[in-house]
Amino acid sequence: KCYRYSLIENEESRDYKKRACLLHVEKGCSELAEDSYKKENGTTAVYFGEKSCHLGNKEWCFKSADIIYSGKTGIKPDVPKSIPLLIDSCETGEVRGCFYLGFIYEKGEGVDKDNEKSSQFYKKACELGHTGSCQKK
């Protein structure tokens, strides 16, 4: 019901989306994440994006990781902090998450360089259709 009330555009709609998100309604979380992203509020976008990710929205697994990785929307870049979300992203079949992980481990960006892990992630990205990864595995 909270999410349905949030569809009525008024001052309370964001509060209803927050309630819906806290009650594990993925759509409420993803809409709050998207709204925050558009408003350049990276911290809030990641907060709700992570919740959306863990409620099954694979797109927000990657988007949250990308915000953290690159420092988009006003937050400090933090490669190691992005890795768990990138792993979640890759495990759900999001090709970009697998590719990013391959790159991170290949370059040793924020982690120890690991050619074996890099190859595994590039291989999975290749299998998911990222042709650029096929040459790196």
Side-chain angles (χ1 to χ4, degrees):
K1 286 184 178 182
C2 290
Y3 178 73
R4 280 189 265 159
Y5 286 131
S6 79
L7 299 175
I8 300 167
E9 292 297 322
N10 61 32
E11 297 112 31
E12 296 174 334
S13 63
R14 185 168 173 84
D15 290 334
Y16 281 118
K17 281 183 188 173
K18 284 181 187 177
R19 287 182 198 168
C21 180
L22 294 174
L23 293 169
H24 308 290
V25 177
E26 184 280 321
K27 193 97 170 129
C29 299
S30 63
E31 288 180 11
L32 288 165
E34 195 63 45
D35 291 345
S36 298
Y37 183 78
K38 287 176 184 173
K39 292 177 182 173
E40 304 263 328
N41 186 337
T43 303
T44 305
V46 168
Y47 175 80
F48 289 114
E50 281 187 86
K51 287 190 174 302
S52 180
C53 166
H54 295 123
L55 291 171
N57 186 324
K58 72 178 184 177
E59 181 182 355
W60 269 102
C61 293
F62 177 75
K63 278 183 162 181
S64 297
D66 186 40
I67 292 167
I68 296 167
Y69 173 86
S70 63
K72 290 180 179 174
T73 64
I75 68 168
K76 183 180 174 194
D78 190 341
V79 175
K81 189 176 176 183
S82 72
I83 291 175
L85 280 167
L86 288 169
I87 290 170
D88 289 346
S89 172
C90 184
E91 287 176 352
T92 63
E94 171 55 66
V95 67
R96 296 172 296 177
C98 301
F99 176 75
Y100 269 45
L101 287 163
F103 179 83
I104 287 168
Y105 283 105
E106 175 188 10
K107 301 297 181 190
E109 190 176 358
V111 295
D112 290 335
K113 199 172 188 178
D114 188 327
N115 291 330
E116 186 176 322
K117 279 186 179 181
S118 175
S119 291
Q120 289 172 351
F121 288 119
Y122 279 139
K123 180 180 179 192
K124 184 154 186 188
C126 176
E127 291 168 357
L128 292 169
H130 189 272
T131 56
S133 296
C134 299
Q135 300 162 2
K136 295 183 175 265
K137 63 180 185 161

Coordinates of all heavy atoms in Angstrom, one line a residue, residues 4-64:
R4 N 1.9 2.1 -3.5 CA 0.8 2.7 -4.3 C 0.5 4.1 -3.9 O 0.2 4.9 -4.7 CB -0.5 1.8 -4.1 CG -0.4 0.6 -5.0 CD -1.7 -0.2 -5.0 NE -1.6 -1.2 -4.0 CZ -2.6 -1.8 -3.4 NH1 -3.8 -1.5 -3.7 NH2 -2.4 -2.7 -2.5
Y5 N 0.6 4.4 -2.6 CA 0.3 5.8 -2.1 C 1.4 6.7 -2.7 O 1.2 7.9 -2.9 CB 0.3 5.9 -0.6 CG -1.0 5.4 0.0 CD1 -0.9 4.5 1.0 CD2 -2.2 5.8 -0.5 CE1 -2.1 4.0 1.6 CE2 -3.4 5.3 0.1 CZ -3.3 4.4 1.2 OH -4.5 4.0 1.7
S6 N 2.6 6.2 -2.9 CA 3.7 7.0 -3.4 C 3.5 7.5 -4.8 O 4.2 8.4 -5.2 CB 5.1 6.2 -3.3 OG 5.2 5.3 -4.3
L7 N 2.6 6.8 -5.5 CA 2.4 7.2 -6.9 C 1.6 8.5 -7.0 O 1.6 9.1 -8.1 CB 1.7 6.0 -7.6 CG 2.5 4.7 -7.7 CD1 1.6 3.6 -8.3 CD2 3.8 4.9 -8.4
I8 N 1.0 8.9 -6.0 CA 0.2 10.1 -6.0 C 1.3 11.2 -5.7 O 2.0 11.2 -4.7 CB -0.8 10.1 -4.8 CG1 -1.8 9.0 -5.0 CG2 -1.5 11.5 -4.8 CD1 -2.7 8.8 -3.8
E9 N 1.4 12.1 -6.7 CA 2.5 13.1 -6.6 C 2.1 14.2 -5.6 O 1.2 15.0 -5.8 CB 2.7 13.8 -8.0 CG 3.3 12.8 -9.0 CD 4.7 12.4 -8.6 OE1 5.5 13.2 -8.0 OE2 5.1 11.2 -8.8
N10 N 2.7 14.1 -4.4 CA 2.5 15.2 -3.4 C 3.7 15.1 -2.5 O 4.6 14.4 -2.7 CB 1.2 15.0 -2.6 CG 1.1 13.6 -1.9 OD1 2.1 13.1 -1.4 ND2 -0.1 13.1 -1.7
E11 N 3.7 15.9 -1.4 CA 4.9 16.0 -0.6 C 5.2 14.7 0.2 O 6.3 14.5 0.6 CB 4.7 17.1 0.5 CG 4.5 18.5 -0.1 CD 3.1 19.1 0.1 OE1 2.4 18.7 1.1 OE2 2.7 19.9 -0.7
E12 N 4.2 13.9 0.3 CA 4.4 12.7 1.1 C 4.8 11.5 0.2 O 5.2 10.4 0.7 CB 3.1 12.3 1.8 CG 2.6 13.3 2.8 CD 1.3 13.0 3.4 OE1 0.4 12.3 2.7 OE2 1.0 13.4 4.5
S13 N 4.8 11.6 -1.1 CA 5.1 10.5 -2.0 C 6.5 9.9 -1.7 O 6.7 8.7 -1.7 CB 4.9 10.8 -3.4 OG 5.8 11.8 -3.9
R14 N 7.5 10.7 -1.5 CA 8.8 10.2 -1.2 C 8.9 9.4 0.2 O 9.5 8.4 0.3 CB 9.9 11.4 -1.1 CG 11.3 10.9 -1.0 CD 12.3 12.0 -1.3 NE 13.6 11.6 -1.0 CZ 14.4 10.9 -1.8 NH1 14.0 10.6 -3.0 NH2 15.7 10.6 -1.4
D15 N 8.1 9.9 1.1 CA 8.1 9.2 2.4 C 7.4 7.9 2.2 O 7.9 6.9 2.9 CB 7.3 10.0 3.5 CG 8.0 11.3 3.9 OD1 9.3 11.3 3.9 OD2 7.4 12.2 4.4
Y16 N 6.4 7.8 1.4 CA 5.8 6.5 1.2 C 6.7 5.5 0.4 O 6.7 4.3 0.7 CB 4.5 6.6 0.4 CG 3.3 7.1 1.2 CD1 2.7 8.3 1.0 CD2 2.8 6.3 2.3 CE1 1.6 8.7 1.8 CE2 1.8 6.7 3.1 CZ 1.2 7.9 2.8 OH 0.1 8.3 3.6
K17 N 7.5 6.1 -0.5 CA 8.5 5.2 -1.2 C 9.5 4.7 -0.2 O 10.0 3.6 -0.3 CB 9.2 6.0 -2.3 CG 8.4 6.1 -3.5 CD 9.1 6.8 -4.6 CE 8.2 7.1 -5.8 NZ 8.8 7.9 -6.8
K18 N 9.9 5.6 0.8 CA 10.9 5.1 1.8 C 10.3 4.0 2.6 O 11.0 3.0 2.9 CB 11.3 6.3 2.7 CG 12.3 7.3 2.1 CD 12.6 8.4 3.1 CE 13.5 9.4 2.4 NZ 13.7 10.5 3.4
R19 N 9.1 4.2 3.0 CA 8.4 3.1 3.8 C 8.3 1.8 3.0 O 8.6 0.8 3.5 CB 7.0 3.6 4.2 CG 7.0 4.6 5.3 CD 5.6 5.0 5.7 NE 5.6 6.3 6.4 CZ 4.5 6.9 6.7 NH1 3.3 6.5 6.3 NH2 4.6 8.1 7.3
A20 N 7.9 2.0 1.7 CA 7.8 0.8 0.9 C 9.2 0.1 0.8 O 9.3 -1.1 0.9 CB 7.3 1.2 -0.5
C21 N 10.2 0.9 0.6 CA 11.6 0.3 0.5 C 12.0 -0.4 1.8 O 12.5 -1.5 1.7 CB 12.6 1.4 0.1 SG 14.3 0.8 0.0
L22 N 11.7 0.2 2.9 CA 12.0 -0.4 4.2 C 11.2 -1.7 4.4 O 11.6 -2.5 5.2 CB 11.9 0.6 5.3 CG 12.8 1.8 5.3 CD1 12.5 2.8 6.4 CD2 14.3 1.3 5.4
L23 N 10.1 -1.8 3.7 CA 9.3 -3.0 3.8 C 9.6 -4.0 2.7 O 8.8 -4.9 2.4 CB 7.8 -2.6 3.8 CG 7.3 -1.9 5.0 CD1 5.9 -1.3 4.8 CD2 7.3 -2.8 6.2
H24 N 10.7 -3.8 2.0 CA 11.3 -4.7 1.0 C 10.5 -4.7 -0.3 O 10.4 -5.7 -1.0 CB 11.4 -6.1 1.6 CG 12.2 -6.1 2.9 ND1 13.5 -5.9 2.9 CD2 11.8 -6.4 4.1 CE1 13.9 -6.0 4.2 NE2 12.9 -6.3 4.9
V25 N 10.0 -3.5 -0.7 CA 9.4 -3.3 -2.0 C 10.4 -2.8 -2.9 O 10.8 -1.6 -2.8 CB 8.1 -2.4 -1.9 CG1 7.5 -2.2 -3.3 CG2 7.1 -3.0 -1.0
E26 N 10.9 -3.6 -3.8 CA 12.1 -3.2 -4.6 C 11.8 -2.0 -5.4 O 12.7 -1.1 -5.6 CB 12.5 -4.4 -5.6 CG 13.7 -4.2 -6.4 CD 13.4 -3.3 -7.6 OE1 12.4 -3.5 -8.3 OE2 14.3 -2.4 -7.9
K27 N 10.6 -1.8 -6.0 CA 10.3 -0.7 -6.8 C 10.5 0.6 -6.1 O 10.9 1.6 -6.6 CB 8.9 -0.9 -7.4 CG 8.5 0.1 -8.4 CD 8.7 -0.6 -9.8 CE 8.1 0.3 -10.9 NZ 9.0 0.5 -12.0
G28 N 10.1 0.6 -4.8 CA 10.3 1.8 -4.0 C 11.7 2.2 -3.8 O 12.1 3.4 -4.0
C29 N 12.6 1.2 -3.6 CA 14.0 1.4 -3.4 C 14.6 1.9 -4.7 O 15.4 2.9 -4.7 CB 14.7 0.1 -3.0 SG 14.2 -0.6 -1.4
S30 N 14.3 1.2 -5.9 CA 14.9 1.6 -7.1 C 14.5 3.0 -7.6 O 15.3 3.8 -8.1 CB 14.6 0.6 -8.2 OG 13.3 0.5 -8.5
E31 N 13.3 3.4 -7.3 CA 12.8 4.8 -7.7 C 13.5 5.8 -6.8 O 13.9 6.9 -7.3 CB 11.3 4.9 -7.6 CG 10.6 4.1 -8.7 CD 9.1 4.2 -8.7 OE1 8.5 5.0 -7.9 OE2 8.5 3.4 -9.4
L32 N 13.7 5.5 -5.5 CA 14.4 6.5 -4.7 C 15.9 6.6 -5.1 O 16.4 7.7 -5.1 CB 14.3 6.0 -3.2 CG 13.0 6.2 -2.5 CD1 12.9 5.4 -1.2 CD2 12.7 7.7 -2.3
A33 N 16.5 5.5 -5.5 CA 17.9 5.5 -6.0 C 18.0 6.3 -7.2 O 18.9 7.1 -7.4 CB 18.3 4.0 -6.2
E34 N 17.0 6.1 -8.1 CA 17.1 6.8 -9.4 C 16.9 8.3 -9.2 O 17.6 9.1 -9.8 CB 16.0 6.3 -10.4 CG 16.2 6.7 -11.8 CD 17.4 6.2 -12.4 OE1 17.8 5.0 -12.3 OE2 18.1 7.0 -13.1
D35 N 15.9 8.7 -8.3 CA 15.7 10.1 -8.0 C 16.9 10.7 -7.4 O 17.3 11.8 -7.8 CB 14.5 10.2 -7.0 CG 13.1 9.9 -7.6 OD1 13.0 9.8 -8.9 OD2 12.2 9.7 -6.8
S36 N 17.6 10.0 -6.5 CA 18.8 10.5 -5.9 C 19.9 10.7 -6.9 O 20.7 11.7 -6.8 CB 19.2 9.6 -4.7 OG 18.2 9.6 -3.7
Y37 N 20.0 9.7 -7.8 CA 21.1 9.8 -8.8 C 20.9 11.0 -9.7 O 21.8 11.7 -10.0 CB 21.0 8.5 -9.6 CG 22.1 8.4 -10.7 CD1 23.4 8.1 -10.3 CD2 21.9 8.7 -12.0 CE1 24.5 8.1 -11.2 CE2 22.9 8.6 -12.9 CZ 24.2 8.3 -12.6 OH 25.1 8.3 -13.5
K38 N 19.6 11.2 -10.1 CA 19.3 12.4 -11.0 C 19.6 13.7 -10.3 O 20.0 14.7 -10.9 CB 17.9 12.3 -11.4 CG 17.6 11.3 -12.4 CD 16.1 11.2 -12.8 CE 15.8 10.1 -13.7 NZ 14.4 9.9 -14.0
K39 N 19.5 13.7 -8.9 CA 19.7 14.9 -8.2 C 21.2 15.0 -7.7 O 21.5 15.9 -6.9 CB 18.8 14.9 -6.9 CG 17.3 15.1 -7.3 CD 16.4 15.1 -6.1 CE 15.0 15.2 -6.5 NZ 14.1 15.0 -5.3
E40 N 22.0 14.1 -8.2 CA 23.5 14.1 -8.0 C 23.8 13.9 -6.5 O 24.7 14.4 -5.9 CB 24.1 15.4 -8.4 CG 23.9 15.8 -9.9 CD 25.1 15.3 -10.7 OE1 26.2 15.4 -10.3 OE2 24.8 14.9 -11.9
N41 N 22.9 13.1 -5.8 CA 23.2 12.7 -4.4 C 23.6 11.3 -4.4 O 22.8 10.4 -4.2 CB 21.9 12.9 -3.6 CG 22.1 12.7 -2.1 OD1 23.1 12.0 -1.7 ND2 21.3 13.3 -1.3
G42 N 24.9 11.1 -4.6 CA 25.5 9.7 -4.7 C 25.3 8.9 -3.5 O 25.0 7.7 -3.6
T43 N 25.5 9.5 -2.3 CA 25.4 8.7 -1.1 C 24.0 8.1 -0.9 O 23.8 6.9 -0.6 CB 25.7 9.6 0.2 OG1 27.0 10.1 0.0 CG2 25.6 8.8 1.4
T44 N 22.9 8.9 -1.2 CA 21.6 8.4 -1.1 C 21.3 7.4 -2.2 O 20.6 6.4 -2.0 CB 20.6 9.5 -1.1 OG1 20.9 10.4 0.0 CG2 19.2 9.1 -0.8
A45 N 21.8 7.7 -3.4 CA 21.6 6.8 -4.5 C 22.2 5.4 -4.3 O 21.5 4.4 -4.5 CB 22.2 7.4 -5.8
V46 N 23.3 5.4 -3.7 CA 24.0 4.1 -3.4 C 23.2 3.4 -2.2 O 23.0 2.2 -2.3 CB 25.5 4.3 -2.9 CG1 26.0 3.1 -2.3 CG2 26.3 4.7 -4.2
Y47 N 22.8 4.1 -1.2 CA 22.0 3.5 -0.1 C 20.8 2.8 -0.7 O 20.6 1.6 -0.4 CB 21.6 4.6 0.9 CG 20.8 4.1 2.0 CD1 21.3 3.4 3.1 CD2 19.4 4.2 2.0 CE1 20.5 2.9 4.1 CE2 18.6 3.8 3.0 CZ 19.1 3.1 4.0 OH 18.3 2.6 5.0
F48 N 20.0 3.5 -1.4 CA 18.7 2.9 -1.9 C 19.1 1.9 -3.1 O 18.4 0.9 -3.3 CB 17.7 3.9 -2.3 CG 17.1 4.6 -1.2 CD1 17.3 6.0 -1.0 CD2 16.3 4.0 -0.3 CE1 16.8 6.6 0.1 CE2 15.7 4.6 0.8 CZ 16.0 5.9 1.0
G49 N 20.1 2.2 -3.8 CA 20.5 1.3 -4.9 C 20.9 -0.1 -4.4 O 20.6 -1.1 -5.0
E50 N 21.7 -0.1 -3.3 CA 22.1 -1.3 -2.7 C 20.9 -2.1 -2.2 O 20.8 -3.3 -2.4 CB 23.1 -1.1 -1.5 CG 24.5 -0.8 -1.9 CD 25.4 -0.7 -0.7 OE1 25.9 -1.8 -0.3 OE2 25.6 0.4 -0.2
K51 N 20.0 -1.4 -1.6 CA 18.8 -2.1 -1.1 C 18.0 -2.7 -2.3 O 17.6 -3.9 -2.3 CB 17.8 -1.2 -0.4 CG 18.4 -0.8 1.0 CD 17.3 -0.1 1.8 CE 17.7 0.2 3.2 NZ 18.1 -1.0 4.0
S52 N 17.9 -2.0 -3.4 CA 17.2 -2.4 -4.6 C 18.0 -3.6 -5.2 O 17.3 -4.6 -5.6 CB 17.2 -1.3 -5.6 OG 16.5 -1.7 -6.8
C53 N 19.3 -3.6 -5.2 CA 20.1 -4.7 -5.7 C 19.8 -6.0 -4.9 O 19.6 -7.0 -5.5 CB 21.6 -4.3 -5.5 SG 22.7 -5.7 -5.7
H54 N 19.8 -5.8 -3.6 CA 19.6 -7.0 -2.7 C 18.2 -7.5 -2.7 O 17.9 -8.6 -2.2 CB 20.2 -6.8 -1.3 CG 21.6 -6.6 -1.4 ND1 22.3 -5.5 -0.9 CD2 22.6 -7.4 -1.9 CE1 23.6 -5.6 -1.1 NE2 23.8 -6.7 -1.7
L55 N 17.3 -6.7 -3.3 CA 15.9 -7.1 -3.5 C 15.7 -7.7 -4.9 O 14.5 -7.9 -5.3 CB 14.9 -6.0 -3.2 CG 14.9 -5.6 -1.7 CD1 14.0 -4.3 -1.5 CD2 14.3 -6.7 -0.9
G56 N 16.8 -7.8 -5.7 CA 16.7 -8.4 -7.0 C 16.9 -7.6 -8.2 O 16.8 -8.1 -9.4
N57 N 17.1 -6.3 -8.1 CA 17.3 -5.4 -9.3 C 18.8 -5.4 -9.7 O 19.6 -4.7 -9.1 CB 16.8 -4.0 -8.9 CG 16.8 -3.1 -10.1 OD1 17.7 -3.2 -11.0 ND2 15.9 -2.2 -10.2
K58 N 19.1 -6.3 -10.6 CA 20.5 -6.4 -11.0 C 21.1 -5.1 -11.6 O 22.3 -4.9 -11.5 CB 20.7 -7.6 -12.0 CG 20.3 -7.4 -13.4 CD 20.6 -8.6 -14.2 CE 20.2 -8.4 -15.6 NZ 20.5 -9.5 -16.5
E59 N 20.3 -4.3 -12.2 CA 20.8 -3.0 -12.8 C 21.3 -2.1 -11.7 O 22.4 -1.5 -11.8 CB 19.6 -2.3 -13.5 CG 20.1 -1.0 -14.1 CD 19.0 -0.2 -14.8 OE1 17.8 -0.7 -14.9 OE2 19.2 0.9 -15.2
W60 N 20.7 -2.1 -10.5 CA 21.2 -1.3 -9.4 C 22.3 -1.9 -8.7 O 23.1 -1.2 -8.0 CB 20.0 -0.9 -8.5 CG 19.5 0.4 -8.9 CD1 18.3 0.6 -9.6 CD2 20.1 1.7 -8.8 NE1 18.2 2.0 -10.0 CE2 19.3 2.7 -9.5 CE3 21.3 2.2 -8.3 CZ2 19.6 4.0 -9.6 CZ3 21.6 3.5 -8.4 CH2 20.7 4.4 -9.0
C61 N 22.6 -3.2 -8.8 CA 23.8 -3.7 -8.3 C 25.0 -3.1 -9.0 O 25.9 -2.6 -8.4 CB 23.9 -5.2 -8.5 SG 22.7 -6.2 -7.6
F62 N 24.9 -3.0 -10.4 CA 25.9 -2.4 -11.1 C 26.0 -0.9 -10.9 O 27.0 -0.3 -10.7 CB 25.8 -2.7 -12.6 CG 26.9 -2.0 -13.4 CD1 28.2 -2.4 -13.4 CD2 26.6 -0.8 -14.1 CE1 29.2 -1.7 -14.0 CE2 27.6 -0.1 -14.8 CZ 28.9 -0.6 -14.7
K63 N 24.8 -0.2 -11.0 CA 24.8 1.3 -10.9 C 25.4 1.7 -9.6 O 26.2 2.7 -9.5 CB 23.4 1.8 -11.0 CG 22.9 2.0 -12.4 CD 21.5 2.6 -12.4 CE 21.1 3.2 -13.7 NZ 19.8 3.8 -13.7
S64 N 25.1 1.1 -8.5 CA 25.6 1.4 -7.2 C 27.1 1.3 -7.1 O 27.8 2.1 -6.7 CB 25.0 0.6 -6.1 OG 23.6 0.8 -6.0

